[in-house]
Amino acid sequence: MALYAVDKPLHLTSHDVVEEARKRLGTRRVGHTGTLDPLATGLLLLVSEESTKLVPFLSGEDKEYIAWVSFGATTPTLDAEGPISEEAPVRFDRKDLEGALAGFLEVKEQIPPLYSAIKVGGKRAYEAAREGKPLELGPRPAKYLEVELLALDPEPTPHPIAPSAKGWRLAEKGGRRVELPRPLGPYPTAVIRLVVGPGTYVRAFARDLGEKLKTKAFLSGLVRTRIGKVGLERAVRLAELSLDKAIPEVDVLPFPVVELSHTEARRVLAGVPLPIPALGYVTLVDSRRRLLAIAEGDGFKLKIKRVFVKEV
């Protein structure tokens, strides 16, 4: 089994990264746990071979981003792909912005971007939008766990970033270089740290933030800095991806870890429930911390949900 953390380059699609990973890892069996738009960079978590079975257990993880939101204009895709489709005056100050951001912690739903992969009646929303027949998309669940203003600049500025005890932030010295898309103009731009739940669109966040501030806004840059337990600091460049860059599954799975004896491990392979009083999903490992299975507890016993090895 093998999981890989990759720093997705600007302009590549997530599918492009998967295709390159297939060449570098020597297997067609490669996927990812959640897409990044072509104009976004940062953490893309790849799974290969037997690790593809982990995707259902990783797709609900919260994600951290650093977003560049430019004000005074918008685009059809709500990002820097362009062209500018509408402009509006900008009349807010930093205090107004901070107040608007705080309000997102109460937001429970959002309308997805017209250019998204959502299907309605068998048609992808972005396909319909490109044909000039945009779909009517209703509100969908959204969740904002943390929203923090890091900077407010007169135009998009590619600040370097670095990890900290409280998430990724702008680096005072050194740090990781950020590559932003080509600026669409000298629009005032906020740099915002976000932690969001699954299904929350950052492009829609930019649009909605503009509306709260009575102007237009679009996403002029985005870096994904964390998926669940895995941070961007563990990511390798795509050109450096190789079999020896794998990270342990136990480091990625979000569940409590239970180490089993040899006898218990044999029972797991047979699909026999274990009398261990746990609630919810649990990661089962052997004495070498090798992933054996994922189980679900009801408070009295563990029911085996998925086994990942054939022998112990």
Side-chain angles (χ1 to χ4, degrees), residues 75-93:
T75 72
T77 55
L78 302 180
D79 64 11
E81 181 178 336
I84 296 295
S85 57
E86 190 175 355
E87 292 189 313
V90 176
R91 297 192 177 99
F92 65 84
D93 58 21

Side-chain angles (χ1 to χ4, degrees), residues 210-231:
E211 290 178 357
K212 282 178 176 285
L213 293 167
K214 297 180 172 55
T215 186
K216 297 294 180 180
F218 67 96
L219 190 66
S220 52
L222 185 69
V223 183
R224 186 156 66 193
T225 52
R226 181 175 59 80
I227 301 173
K229 293 165 59 177
V230 183

Side-chain angles (χ1 to χ4, degrees), residues 264-284:
E264 290 172 325
R266 289 177 63 87
R267 293 184 65 184
V268 165
L269 263 61
V272 179
L274 297 176
I276 296 176
L279 278 172
Y281 283 119
V282 174
T283 302
L284 303 179

